[in-house]
Amino acid sequence: MTNVNTAQATTTHLYTAHASVAGGRNGHGRTDDGRLDVDLSRPGAMGGEGTGTNPEQLFAVGYGACFEGALTLVARRQRVQLGETHIDSAVELHSVDDGTFRIEVALDVSMAGVGDDELAVALVREAHQVCPYSNALRGNVDVALTANGVWVAGPRD
């Protein structure tokens, strides 16, 4: 799985993360290097104790961090100074009447150094095309995006 050739591009393996989880939502998770070592618990809103973290929180942090990395890359390619950047991410868990579950995501991106709304929107749109989390979710998960308070894509509240 090092290199995958497609009609559009060749991919090169960059990194593999490894983690182990035991006990599911009321268990424990740890990365192989020990850098992340967390107790997991069902949130109070789902009838749990809420004493640990949960998969939705971990996903919100991971997606937000990954998206900011993609945004930084896009800005650097376009020679744009982002200034201080902050991403508020929300991951919602929904039950479906057929017994399954789905998630929805909202990323609210703030770039202190980008005062032009059109540029901010364009940067976030491009980052959404570059980000591997966005690419993994596209077509499967509704992702709402804003840039400096301006709607970019996805469902609106």
Side-chain angles (χ1 to χ4, degrees):
M1 266 183 20
T2 302
N3 291 318
V4 176
N5 292 310
T6 66
Q8 299 166 346
T10 300
T11 63
T12 302
H13 177 266
L14 298 175
Y15 172 73
T16 301
H18 294 275
S20 178
V21 175
R25 285 187 171 273
N26 290 310
H28 190 84
R30 184 178 190 284
T31 57
D32 64 338
D33 63 4
R35 301 290 303 237
L36 179 65
D37 193 330
V38 295
D39 288 323
L40 302 166
S41 69
R42 190 172 284 119
M46 291 175 56
E49 294 182 21
T51 56
T53 192
N54 61 67
E56 293 73 32
Q57 290 171 322
L58 294 168
F59 190 77
V61 169
Y63 194 0
C66 189
F67 196 90
E68 188 166 343
L71 181 64
T72 299
L73 174 68
V74 165
R76 186 173 60 242
R77 287 177 178 169
Q78 296 184 24
R79 294 182 175 86
V80 173
Q81 296 295 317
L82 295 175
E84 185 176 329
T85 304
H86 183 84
I87 298 179
D88 285 323
S89 54
V91 174
E92 295 181 354
L93 179 64
H94 297 267
S95 64
V96 182
D97 60 7
D98 66 1
T100 62
F101 297 89
R102 67 179 178 83
I103 60 172
E104 291 182 4
V105 176
L107 300 178
D108 182 18
V109 182
S110 299
M111 299 160 280
V114 181
D116 179 315
D117 287 349
E118 287 184 28
L119 177 58
V121 166
L123 290 168
V124 168
R125 274 201 180 111
E126 181 65 22
H128 191 47
Q129 295 304 309
V130 171
C131 177
Y133 276 62
S134 294
N135 288 328
L137 298 178
R138 192 169 286 108
N140 297 306
V141 173
D142 287 335
V143 177
L145 299 168
T146 62
N148 290 348
V150 177
W151 179 85
V152 175
R156 296 183 192 214
D157 286 340

